[in-house]
Amino acid sequence: MEITYRRGMILLLVLLLMPSIGNNIQAQIPGKQSEQYKNAVNLYSKGMYQAAEKEFEQLLENSELSKSAELSMIESYLTLISIELSSPDIDFRVQQIKSKYPESPKMNEIDLKYGSHYFNLSNFSEAYKIFSTINPRTLPTSQKAEFHFKYGYTNLRTGNNQEALANFAIINRLPFGSYSNPAIYYSAHIEYMKRDFKKAIELFSKIEKDPRFTILANYYILESKFMLKDYAFVVQNGEVLYQQLTGELRTKSARVVSESFFALGNTEKAQFYFDRYSAESGTLTRKDIYYAGIIAYTQKRYDQAIEILKQVIGEDDSLSQNASYHLGRCYIEIKNKVEALNSFRLASEGMHDLTIKEDAMFNFAKLSFDLNSDIGVFRRYLDTYSPTEQKFNEIQNYIATSYLLKQDYRSAIDILRTIRNPSSKDIINLQKATFLRGMQLVNLGAYREAIPVFELSTANGNYNNNLLNVTQFWLAEAYYRDNRFQRSVDINLALATRNSTFKGNREYSTSLYNLAYSYFKLANFEQAETWFKRYLNLPTGEILYADEAVTRLGDCLFMQRKYTESITAFSGVSNSKPALKQYASYQMAIAHGLLGDDTRKTSLLKELVSLNLSPHLYPEVLYELGRTLVQKGLYSDAIGYFNELKDKFGTTPFYPKALLELGLIALNRGESNNAADFYKKILQETPQSPEASAAIAGLENIYQDQGRAEEFLAFLDGLGLSKVRTTDERELIIFSSAEKHFLSGNYAQAVSSLNSFIKSYPTGTKAAQAYFYLGESYQKTGKPELALDAFLKVMEIGEGSFTELATLNYARISYQIENYRQANKAYSTLSRIAQLENNKVEAQIGKTNSFYMDKQYENAIAEGIRSESLNITDQERTRVKFVIAKSYWMLGERSKAIPYLNDLAKNKINPEGAESTYLLISDAFDKGEFQKVERDVYSFSESRTPQSYWLAKSFILLGDSFAERENWDQAEATYKSILESYKPQGKDDIEEQLKMRLNKLSEKK
């Protein structure tokens, strides 16, 4: 309660009870004038001032007396009388007597009376000036108490409390008199004003028996006890005193008693006396309204407290700050988190109560994160207050746990890495989060980006050895997929040979397979053979890739020229995987041929031709079979297979090979014209193929033998082939061969051919196109990061039409592997360079999505608004509207998000509409509108939406709404029903969320 200066200090009553004390010093006046003088003094002493004045004036008329030295006494008395009668010329007469008789014995009394005159007029500043000229030592004892009281009081009223206390203290050292208790009273009041409540109580207690001060003293004792937080004393004595008091003090005592009962937890009595206070005071101040709100809050009348506290907010003061804070608490209690956030935000912005500010900012931060996943406020809180390490870590763990439950492992990692002096639990959480994030990247095909994440997991693997082993296994896999085979070998070799605990893991067998494959990629076929054999010698149940391992073992043996052993290995491939079986059979045929058994080779190749071969293997088998038949002199049979190859695979590199073979067969059979036709076809249709040179040589021989050399040269001139091949032409020939693999869809062979071409011509005219084809081939073979490298090369070269397409692909892949900042940069580049309108549109929408996924919500909104102005499809427009809505939502600007969400939620069939419906239900939940949650969830369910994930999330909110109302059985039934009926369309967080809630419910039972 605030201390204020109280005017009801019964000053006038005290003064009226005080007699004015005169000075009976008599002048030595002779004769009968002496008797008249004594009579005048006597009349003055009795307060008969007008009669006394008449006598003194008659004495002045005596010419003899007017010449005497005692004249100063008479004029002094006349001056005193003029003061007592408040004559209009008081100031003049005082100044006149001071100038005529400065040494008059009555001068101190005149000053005392003169000061008292202004004192009685409440002109304390003027009274103070007069009293300060008096030397109290010269005053008679009878006047000292009056002087010190009045001088003390004028000091009090002019702001000099210490001097006032000093004067009042002198009175208390004098014999007890009429000024003693008033001096104690004002001393007590000064101590009260100085907030020395113990001293004030001590002094007030001395005068509480004096009827003049009993009520006042008891009141101020009560209030001082209140200020000392002796609430028990206040409630024990305050109720009785309240009945005794009247007027303003009675009203104020009601407030004091109310607050004391409140402090002691008796809110009913607090409310009772506050009601008395409200009724008696008339108009309530903002402080009174605030207190009423706090009582309602304490009594858990939250809705009423909200309406009361709202009235306090508006001013920039501590009252508004405190009211906002308690409003936040009220909204939390009624489950309206949205309004709670707004209230705590207001309280956190105040600068008047720093304790409230800090706690409000913490709650604002927590709600911002809970409602919007916004950690910005938490960061500002941590930067502003630098909490203890324990609280800092608690906050970080709270954020990280939420991210982990949402399977946002990337964000969880960022938070967990900030924990100071992490405990073993913190380290284990970081190890798990990094492993799970690495696996997310692996599932996206982003193996290169997974590497540093897995490495961070292994660096924190001191407490969970099993997870450490699994992480190293996947780290080796990531290195392998990034073509860093030696690093993959090093890790897998350590797991296989130096980690006994890993042998119990289910990944152990696969690590042997991966180790063997890495050696194979390094062309270390001897080691690859060793580890493939070790893998295949494992128990049958542990071998997951038997046919693949057998096939690669055959390849290793083949590459070491162990053809007989390779045949044995290839023959072990089962029929369960036709593509591998066909490849193995083909390799067996080649091995038989290398061993000189062309008959077996031919037989195996013919068997393959009769099968439904893949379009990549079939032309190669036809070509190899035709070549083998030619070597055996079976030209007619060979012609059939070469013709099939020519007719069915005209876009493959085997087409010119088949024409060349057919030409040679025709030449060997003496059919030179037919041979010439085949050679011409090669030169006309595939002049850039490697077979073109042989065709020119063959054609030249035929024309020379026929004496038609000029015709031959004319033919070459017509095709532009007569000149010597330049470097660029040779480059074009090699590129053309690689291109054919790409155009025919043989992307694995295209990768090999294109890399070989790029190695030979890194800055050639076809380099950009080669890199583009390489990027496309890597994409088709599931290697997005290697595709990124290739497309980036095209972008760096920056030549030709491929740059725009490469930039588009680079942006798409970056977005696909969740590297959103990289995607945004690529889309931004595309928007500047794009010539095609559809690419310009995709670039704009890509920027919108990339900003959104990277949690740059302000930018996402800006780009989304730009996207809305474009000519986009309905599906694209829906996505853009959703990005804008969700971005506003994540920024906490729900009023802007909800109109978009309402529009989107009209179509609950598509993902955006379903999630928008969920967000609207979430908004109702956050506001504590649980009946609305229930209605909207059931309405969502009746829409027959195929978006089962968002429907399940909505039913979880329904369960949560039951839990918030402590309807535990209904909440449990809801959670269990979802758990039993929900069928995930992929890995998601529904099961984990439900199990976490059910575990919490079980703890409550």
Side-chain angles (χ1 to χ4, degrees):
M1 181 169 182
E2 184 179 335
I3 300 296
T4 58
Y5 184 82
R6 289 164 173 78
R7 299 184 64 83
M9 297 189 290
I10 65 168
L11 172 61
L12 294 177
L13 175 62
V14 173
L15 292 176
L16 286 171
L17 292 175
M18 294 178 189
S20 294
I21 302 172
N23 188 337
N24 292 320
I25 298 174
Q26 297 188 14
Q28 301 298 315
I29 299 175
K32 68 175 184 178
Q33 285 82 13
S34 175
E35 289 301 321
Q36 187 178 10
Y37 177 80
K38 289 179 182 179
N39 183 47
V41 170
N42 187 43
L43 290 170
Y44 173 80
S45 300
K46 292 179 179 180
M48 300 172 70
Y49 300 121
Q50 290 176 333
E53 182 180 32
K54 185 177 180 180
E55 291 294 329
F56 282 126
E57 285 178 347
Q58 287 177 358
L59 284 170
L60 279 179
E61 292 174 359
N62 187 298
S63 60
E64 181 181 345
L65 186 59
S66 64
K67 297 175 183 178
S68 71
E70 283 71 25
L71 185 60
S72 67
M73 292 297 291
I74 296 171
E75 291 194 31
S76 294
Y77 270 113
L78 285 170
T79 302
L80 288 169
I81 290 169
S82 70
I83 294 171
E84 295 289 4
L85 294 176
S86 299
S87 299
D89 60 347
I90 289 174
D91 295 328
F92 171 75
R93 298 189 70 166
V94 170
Q95 294 306 318
Q96 186 181 50
I97 195 71
K98 281 179 173 289
S99 63
K100 285 178 68 176
Y101 308 110
E103 302 300 326
S104 171
K106 302 295 283 184
M107 196 53 66
N108 276 340
E109 186 177 353
I110 290 171
D111 283 336
L112 180 58
K113 288 294 184 180
Y114 186 38
S116 297
H117 167 75
Y118 282 106
F119 183 91
N120 293 336
L121 293 175
S122 298
N123 189 341
F124 299 112
S125 60
E126 192 63 33
Y128 171 78
K129 292 178 184 178
I130 298 167
F131 288 143
S132 63
T133 66
I134 298 173
N135 183 357
R137 294 193 190 94
T138 64
L139 292 173
T141 302
S142 59
Q143 292 182 346
K144 286 185 176 181
E146 179 186 0
F147 167 77
H148 285 296
F149 179 81
K150 291 181 178 179
Y151 189 38
Y153 190 80
T154 56
N155 273 287
L156 168 63
R157 295 306 299 270
T158 55
N160 193 348
N161 289 342
Q162 286 304 113
E163 190 64 28
L165 284 173
N167 279 275
F168 293 144
I170 292 172
I171 297 172
N172 290 319
R173 293 197 293 270
L174 296 172
F176 183 82
S178 58
Y179 287 106
S180 298
N181 281 350
I184 294 173
Y185 171 79
Y186 287 116
S187 296
H189 195 78
I190 291 171
E191 298 296 348
Y192 171 85
M193 296 298 292
K194 289 168 56 182
R195 305 184 72 87
D196 188 346
F197 300 113
K198 290 183 179 180
K199 185 67 175 176
I201 291 170
E202 176 189 337
L203 293 172
F204 279 127
S205 298
K206 290 181 179 181
I207 59 172
E208 64 179 335
K209 302 297 184 183
D210 186 333
R212 296 174 298 170
F213 299 106
T214 300
I215 293 296
L216 280 171
N218 286 335
Y219 173 79
Y220 283 116
I221 289 172
L222 185 79
E223 195 168 289
S224 296
K225 288 285 189 179
F226 173 77
M227 299 305 294
L228 290 170
K229 300 184 179 180
D230 189 351
Y231 304 120
F233 177 92
V234 176
V235 299
Q236 288 168 10
N237 298 276
E239 291 190 279
V240 173
L241 182 61
Y242 170 74
Q243 299 298 330
Q244 296 172 351
L245 293 169
T246 58
E248 184 181 1
L249 293 183
R250 175 184 172 90
T251 302
K252 291 180 177 179
S253 69
R255 178 64 182 272
V256 169
V257 172
S258 172
E259 291 194 38
S260 296
F261 272 120
F262 181 84
L264 293 173
N266 190 337
T267 56
E268 289 185 11
K269 281 279 191 177
Q271 185 68 58
F272 174 82
Y273 278 100
F274 181 75
D275 290 342
R276 302 285 79 71
Y277 169 79
S278 300
E280 294 168 10
S281 64
T283 304
L284 295 180
T285 66
R286 288 176 63 241
K287 290 183 179 179
D288 297 333
I289 296 171
Y290 169 75
Y291 177 57
I294 295 301
I295 293 176
Y297 167 76
T298 307
Q299 292 180 331
K300 299 183 179 181
R301 294 182 285 114
Y302 300 117
D303 289 320
Q304 188 176 351
I306 288 170
E307 294 307 312
I308 295 171
L309 291 170
K310 278 181 178 179
Q311 301 174 46
V312 179
I313 295 172
E315 302 291 332
D316 182 13
D317 58 16
S318 61
L319 211 55
S320 283
Q321 187 179 18
N322 277 269
S324 296
Y325 176 81
H326 283 92
L327 265 176
R329 290 290 180 197
C330 290
Y331 282 123
I332 287 291
E333 293 295 339
I334 66 169
K335 316 300 181 184
N336 190 337
K337 295 179 182 178
V338 175
E339 289 301 327
L341 179 146
N342 293 329
S343 296
F344 283 127
R345 177 181 56 78
L346 282 174
S348 73
E349 292 170 354
M351 298 299 294
H352 307 281
D353 187 327
L354 298 183
T355 301
I356 287 288
K357 179 180 178 69
E358 178 177 353
D359 196 56
M361 190 171 187
F362 176 80
N363 283 282
F364 174 40
K366 185 176 181 297
L367 287 167
S368 295
F369 180 74
D370 291 344
L371 295 177
N372 310 319
S373 298
D374 178 10
I375 64 171
V377 186
F378 260 134
R379 284 176 176 161
R380 292 202 301 273
Y381 172 82
L382 295 173
D383 291 342
T384 303
Y385 294 105
S386 300
T388 63
E389 182 178 287
Q390 180 180 355
K391 186 169 185 179
F392 177 89
N393 288 348
E394 285 176 2
I395 291 171
Q396 302 301 68
N397 271 305
Y398 178 81
I399 298 172
T401 299
S402 176
Y403 281 138
L404 289 171
L405 286 172
K406 296 174 183 176
Q407 298 183 0
D408 185 355
Y409 302 120
R410 179 173 61 176
S411 297
I413 292 166
D414 292 339
I415 297 300
L416 288 169
R417 293 185 74 179
T418 66
I419 291 178
R420 301 165 183 168
N421 297 316
S423 65
S424 58
K425 182 179 179 182
D426 297 328
I427 294 171
I428 291 171
N429 283 338
L430 180 56
Q431 181 189 12
K432 289 180 179 178
T434 45
F435 171 74
L436 292 169
R437 175 57 182 163
M439 292 307 299
Q440 284 180 332
L441 292 168
V442 164
N443 292 332
L444 293 169
Y447 291 97
R448 185 182 303 161
E449 293 203 13
I451 289 171
V453 182
F454 282 138
E455 286 181 335
L456 181 58
S457 184
T458 60
N460 289 275
N462 294 333
Y463 295 97
N464 188 332
N465 192 59
N466 183 59
L467 182 57
L468 172 63
N469 290 336
V470 174
T471 305
Q472 289 178 320
F473 167 82
W474 283 105
L475 177 59
E477 176 70 11
Y479 275 122
Y480 174 86
R481 295 298 186 105
D482 196 38
N483 290 346
R484 294 156 76 176
F485 304 119
Q486 188 58 55
R487 286 291 292 127
S488 181
V489 164
D490 295 341
I491 296 170
N492 275 320
L493 189 60
L495 286 171
T497 61
R498 297 193 293 275
N499 193 329
S500 59
T501 61
F502 183 60
K503 290 184 178 180
N505 286 55
R506 64 180 182 179
E507 291 85 4
Y508 171 72
S509 60
T510 305
S511 73
L512 299 185
Y513 174 79
N514 291 346
L515 176 59
Y517 224 118
S518 295
Y519 276 127
F520 181 79
K521 286 289 187 178
L522 289 169
N524 189 339
F525 301 115
E526 183 179 356
Q527 285 294 329
E529 175 193 347
T530 299
W531 286 101
F532 276 127
K533 285 180 176 178
R534 283 189 61 174
Y535 174 72
L536 291 167
N537 285 332
L538 292 172
T540 304
E542 298 179 19
I543 302 174
L544 302 178
Y545 309 103
D547 287 327
E548 290 86 346
V550 170
T551 302
R552 291 290 84 83
L553 175 60
D555 286 334
C556 292
L557 295 166
F558 184 93
M559 296 303 294
Q560 296 176 80
R561 300 184 180 183
K562 299 177 181 179
Y563 301 123
T564 302
E565 292 179 56
S566 74
I567 291 170
T568 302
F570 285 130
S571 65
V573 179
S574 70
N575 293 319
S576 62
K577 295 187 177 178
L580 280 179
K581 182 65 177 177
Q582 291 168 11
Y583 171 80
S585 296
Y586 177 67
Q587 290 298 99
M588 285 173 60
I590 300 300
H592 277 295
L594 292 171
L595 290 172
D597 189 353
D598 285 339
T599 301
R600 181 58 180 153
K601 175 183 179 182
T602 303
S603 174
L604 287 171
L605 291 173
K606 286 183 177 180
E607 287 178 16
L608 284 171
V609 170
S610 67
L611 301 176
N612 184 24
L613 293 178
S614 71
H616 304 313
L617 184 60
Y618 195 13
E620 187 173 353
V621 170
L622 287 174
Y623 178 72
E624 191 62 37
L625 177 55
R627 288 272 297 164
T628 305
L629 292 171
V630 167
Q631 289 171 3
K632 295 175 68 174
L634 302 174
Y635 298 124
S636 297
D637 291 345
I639 289 172
Y641 292 113
F642 285 133
N643 277 329
E644 183 179 358
L645 178 58
K646 171 176 68 70
D647 295 339
K648 291 183 178 180
F649 299 98
T651 61
T652 70
F654 290 98
Y655 175 69
K657 294 180 184 294
L659 292 175
L660 185 63
E661 291 295 331
L662 287 169
L664 290 172
I665 292 173
L667 195 62
N668 288 332
R669 297 172 68 175
E671 302 170 358
S672 58
N673 288 335
N674 285 340
D677 290 339
F678 285 121
Y679 293 146
K680 285 180 179 180
K681 202 164 192 175
I682 292 172
L683 297 175
Q684 289 169 335
E685 297 182 12
T686 61
Q688 307 301 331
S689 65
E691 289 74 26
S693 297
I696 291 173
L699 186 61
E700 182 179 9
N701 289 333
I702 292 172
Y703 275 110
Q704 284 181 345
D705 289 345
Q706 295 177 352
R708 301 162 57 196
E710 290 183 3
E711 189 177 337
F712 167 72
L713 293 173
F715 176 76
L716 291 184
D717 287 338
L719 296 175
L721 298 174
S722 58
K723 58 186 177 181
V724 178
R725 299 285 185 185
T726 65
T727 302
D728 288 345
E729 289 172 331
R730 286 195 294 272
E731 174 191 344
L732 193 60
I733 291 171
I734 297 173
F735 173 77
S736 178
S737 176
E739 184 181 39
K740 285 187 179 296
H741 288 299
F742 171 76
L743 295 175
S744 68
N746 189 353
Y747 299 112
Q749 184 58 49
V751 166
S752 176
S753 298
L754 289 164
N755 274 321
S756 177
F757 168 78
I758 289 168
K759 186 176 181 180
S760 299
Y761 301 98
T763 60
T765 57
K766 289 291 184 179
Q769 190 173 354
Y771 275 119
F772 181 82
Y773 286 160
L774 182 61
E776 291 276 5
S777 299
Y778 277 133
Q779 256 191 296
K780 297 292 186 180
T781 53
K783 296 179 179 180
E785 289 176 310
L786 295 176
L788 281 176
D789 295 341
F791 288 131
L792 182 60
K793 284 289 186 181
V794 181
M795 293 162 66
E796 289 172 348
I797 293 170
E799 297 176 1
S801 60
F802 291 102
T803 302
E804 183 172 337
L805 289 174
T807 305
L808 176 62
N809 287 338
Y810 188 85
R812 286 174 174 174
I813 297 172
S814 297
Y815 188 88
Q816 168 197 324
I817 65 174
E818 298 183 1
N819 191 336
Y820 300 116
R821 294 198 177 181
Q822 182 171 283
N824 185 53
K825 290 179 181 178
Y827 280 123
S828 296
T829 300
L830 181 63
S831 67
R832 291 194 302 271
I833 68 170
Q835 299 296 314
L836 299 174
E837 189 61 32
N838 60 322
N839 287 345
K840 292 179 182 179
V841 170
E842 183 168 347
Q844 181 58 44
I845 295 176
K847 286 192 290 182
T848 302
N849 283 321
S850 297
F851 274 130
Y852 168 70
M853 295 303 293
D854 197 36
K855 302 181 181 180
Q856 297 186 52
Y857 300 117
E858 293 91 344
N859 290 333
I861 292 168
E863 295 297 339
I865 292 171
R866 292 189 187 97
S867 297
E868 283 188 303
S869 66
L870 300 177
N871 183 21
I872 56 179
T873 66
D874 290 342
Q875 184 177 354
E876 289 169 337
R877 193 169 299 281
T878 296
R879 173 63 184 176
V880 167
K881 287 172 68 175
F882 176 78
V883 167
I884 295 172
K886 189 70 178 291
S887 295
Y888 276 130
W889 179 278
M890 298 305 287
L891 290 171
E893 298 184 46
R894 294 196 177 190
S895 61
K896 294 181 180 178
I898 286 175
Y900 282 97
L901 295 174
N902 281 327
D903 188 38
L904 289 163
K906 293 175 183 176
N907 183 355
K908 297 176 173 58
I909 303 303
N910 61 44
E912 292 85 3
E915 186 174 355
S916 296
T917 303
Y918 164 76
L919 290 173
L920 290 169
I921 295 170
S922 176
D923 183 62
F925 177 85
D926 293 337
K927 292 176 178 174
E929 299 171 358
F930 299 129
Q931 294 297 329
K932 187 175 190 305
V933 169
E934 195 167 344
R935 290 194 305 272
D936 290 353
V937 170
Y938 290 132
S939 175
F940 190 17
S941 177
E942 291 168 2
S943 71
R944 300 187 180 278
T945 177
Q947 307 298 330
S948 58
Y949 175 79
W950 293 113
L951 184 59
K953 293 275 283 186
S954 299
F955 269 102
I956 290 175
L957 278 181
L958 177 61
D960 292 346
S961 73
F962 290 129
E964 289 286 355
R965 290 172 281 178
E966 299 186 2
N967 189 343
W968 309 120
D969 291 338
Q970 189 67 45
E972 183 178 31
T974 303
Y975 297 145
K976 286 183 175 178
S977 174
I978 305 167
L979 193 61
E980 292 169 1
S981 62
Y982 179 66
K983 299 293 186 292
Q985 298 174 350
K987 183 171 175 57
D988 60 37
D989 61 341
I990 296 296
E991 182 178 353
E992 188 174 358
Q993 293 277 352
L994 290 168
K995 287 182 177 179
M996 180 268 291
R997 284 166 167 79
L998 288 168
N999 286 338
K1000 285 187 176 180
L1001 284 179
S1002 66
E1003 294 171 2
K1004 290 182 177 292
K1005 294 186 175 181

